[in-house]
Amino acid sequence: MNNQTLQQRKDAATPRGVGVMCNFYADRAENAELWDVEGRRYIDFGAGIAVLNTGHRHPKVLAAIRSQLDRFTHTAYQVVPYASYVELAERINSITPGTHAKKTAFFTTGAEAVENAVKIARAATGRPGVIAFGGGFHGRTMLGMALTGKVAPYKVGFGPFPGDIYHVPFPNALHGVTVDAALKALQQLFKADIDATRVAAIIIEPVQGEGGFYMVPPEFMRALRAVCDQNGILLIADEVQTGFARTGKLFAMEHFDVLPDLMTLAKSLAGGMPLSAVCGRAELMDAAQPGGLGGTYAGNPLAVAAAHAVLDTIAEERLAERAQGLGEKLKALLNRIRKEVPQITDVRGPGAMVAVEFSHPTTGEPDVEFLRKVQSHALAHGLLLLSCGTYGNVIRFLFPLTIADTTFDEALNILERALRQV
């Protein structure tokens, strides 16, 4: 079995709509390293798109899954419940921001979490409208696409989308959108498109993921909270990509001095197993009627067991602190070589949710070609990097927080050579 043969079989058997970045096929992985079917080794700075904060095959996670395998693999929690689900809900309720009474429901994917958060918000408020932001990403379901603030490739050819979804610009000083401008756009939306009294929720990523790793300015998050309070609107924090120590804190909302009403969680929650959650104020979470929330695989016992191990690992290995240290080291490298690599426009991100943005040195336009060359050079030398951003000109770094120091240093050397040589 080799990569070329598998690529041919993939092209024949699977649709082109499932975009695949790499032309090699994984055979095995360990922590921050993976090997393809031909034995080539790669350092994984993508971590399954922010899923593996605790790395590939963490021993604690594997042990938890094996233990649960010996007991049962599925009952459908809504038919026959199990203690581990309840215990994980209690843990999530206790570790998410705020000391108010909370409840948590589990699902399978991040998109499911987002959809159910909207369902809960609508049930609790009796209102239909939802406001999201340009550049935001909330999933590939019909409602997820409607909420997502980027057309290509996510929305092309798939409309019409669910109604009562509205977008306002995300405050992004680098691209000319001030906090004041974004707030004025929100007020204009209330005047021109939907009355504030018909809005159930505003959903926002504390740090945009697919949109380019732009962090919400603190003054904007405070203003959103005030707008929500004044108009009876719920604030939903989409922490699908930002959660579980990635930003240097357990949750990105801990960087702000306001609390959300609902939070969506997924990705690194279960260390590679499919699990997502909605956590929110208890009275809001109880708004849906029995049977209104759930799913056949929602809160799968193997995934729940993995999530308990992930939370243990984050605490025991102090991964939030490690994220901060690793992120600072990476940003120091990128900032050090900025003068020698004029395409570097910006280096940003809290903790280990770091991004570098490229623009053409003379025109200032997004430089996608430079990014592709850097990405290709790095991959040819064994380092896997992911891109993102509305213009596709941002490299995002999502290495496992458990990465060995020697592996991290090796990766930074490859990255530096790629940036300088390209």
Side-chain angles (χ1 to χ4, degrees):
M1 186 163 52
N2 59 52
N3 289 314
Q4 184 177 359
T5 300
L6 283 169
Q7 188 75 1
Q8 293 168 348
R9 289 168 60 186
K10 186 270 287 183
D11 291 343
T14 67
R16 65 180 188 136
V18 181
V20 179
M21 179 183 126
C22 297
N23 61 0
F24 58 86
Y25 289 75
D27 178 61
R28 61 188 177 90
E30 193 76 28
N31 199 359
E33 301 168 90
L34 60 84
W35 289 261
D36 72 7
V37 293
E38 296 177 6
R40 295 185 184 87
R41 169 183 172 266
Y42 297 88
I43 301 174
D44 186 0
F45 263 37
I49 316 180
V51 166
L52 300 168
N53 288 357
T54 51
H56 292 276
R57 302 180 66 251
H58 192 286
K60 275 187 172 293
V61 175
L62 293 184
I65 295 170
R66 290 191 185 109
S67 177
Q68 183 59 47
L69 270 172
D70 290 336
R71 299 171 64 205
F72 60 92
T73 62
H74 180 76
T75 65
Y77 176 79
Q78 295 136 249
V79 178
V80 180
Y82 30 93
S84 58
Y85 181 115
V86 177
E87 292 161 353
L88 185 59
E90 291 171 336
R91 291 185 77 171
I92 296 295
N93 294 340
S94 68
I95 63 177
T96 46
T99 58
H100 52 280
K102 303 173 204 155
K103 291 189 176 183
T104 294
F106 294 106
F107 306 97
T108 310
T109 67
E112 276 186 272
V114 167
E115 293 230 358
N116 279 279
V118 171
K119 286 164 58 178
I120 291 164
R122 285 174 168 169
T125 63
R127 303 174 178 186
V130 182
I131 298 171
F133 291 87
F137 180 83
H138 301 288
R140 288 181 171 88
T141 58
M142 293 304 287
L143 181 58
M145 286 189 292
L147 292 167
T148 291
K150 184 178 180 180
V151 173
Y154 305 117
K155 298 186 181 186
V156 176
F158 296 137
F161 301 108
D164 277 318
I165 304 297
Y166 304 87
H167 290 88
V168 294
F170 184 87
N172 185 334
L174 188 65
H175 292 282
V177 182
T178 65
V179 167
D180 187 56
L183 290 172
K184 285 180 178 177
L186 180 59
Q187 293 302 322
Q188 181 62 26
L189 184 74
F190 292 151
K191 289 183 174 70
D193 294 297
I194 183 170
D195 188 86
T197 60
R198 293 187 63 249
V199 177
I202 297 175
I203 185 168
I204 191 166
E205 299 164 279
V207 184
Q208 286 197 331
E210 297 289 324
F213 280 28
Y214 301 104
M215 190 168 183
V216 176
E219 62 271 30
F220 187 75
M221 191 69 84
R222 285 193 292 269
L224 277 189
R225 181 71 269 175
V227 167
C228 288
D229 291 342
Q230 290 162 8
N231 295 285
I233 299 169
L234 303 184
L235 181 61
I236 302 174
D238 184 340
E239 292 242 23
V240 167
Q241 191 161 162
T242 57
F244 302 100
R246 172 56 54 183
T247 67
K249 294 185 181 292
L250 195 55
F251 300 102
M253 284 303 294
E254 295 178 64
H255 292 281
F256 304 93
D257 55 2
V258 301
L259 297 175
D261 298 298
L262 300 169
M263 293 175 64
T264 60
L265 312 170
K267 288 194 181 286
S268 277
L269 168 59
M273 297 294 285
L275 186 67
S276 64
V278 179
C279 177
R281 297 184 180 277
E283 70 276 13
L284 303 175
M285 295 295 294
D286 278 339
Q289 295 295 316
L293 305 177
T296 300
Y297 298 104
N300 171 269
L302 296 173
V304 167
H308 280 289
V310 164
L311 293 178
D312 290 343
T313 299
I314 289 172
E316 292 167 9
E317 300 186 18
R318 303 173 72 171
L319 292 187
E321 292 179 30
R322 181 157 177 76
Q324 191 65 37
L326 292 171
E328 288 174 358
K329 189 171 184 178
L330 172 57
K331 284 186 282 191
L333 165 67
L334 294 169
N335 283 316
R336 176 168 55 81
I337 64 174
R338 282 182 75 164
K339 291 182 179 178
E340 302 165 53
V341 185
Q343 290 86 354
I344 295 179
T345 304
D346 194 31
V347 176
R348 59 177 175 270
M353 196 167 181
V354 175
V356 57
E357 183 159 349
F358 302 115
S359 298
H360 195 279
T362 55
T363 66
E365 293 296 311
D367 199 337
V368 180
E369 185 61 29
F370 183 81
L371 179 146
R372 288 173 179 163
K373 289 179 179 178
V374 170
Q375 191 178 37
S376 178
H377 187 285
L379 191 61
H381 291 81
L383 175 61
L384 192 158
L385 301 171
L386 300 183
S387 63
C388 66
T390 301
Y391 306 100
N393 66 324
V394 178
I395 287 178
R396 53 177 160 169
F397 299 94
L398 289 168
F399 44 83
L401 305 179
T402 51
I403 187 170
D405 289 337
T406 52
T407 307
F408 190 67
D409 290 341
E410 180 186 355
L412 294 195
N413 288 334
I414 296 171
L415 174 64
E416 182 173 3
R417 289 200 303 272
L419 288 166
R420 290 182 185 279
Q421 293 180 23
V422 169

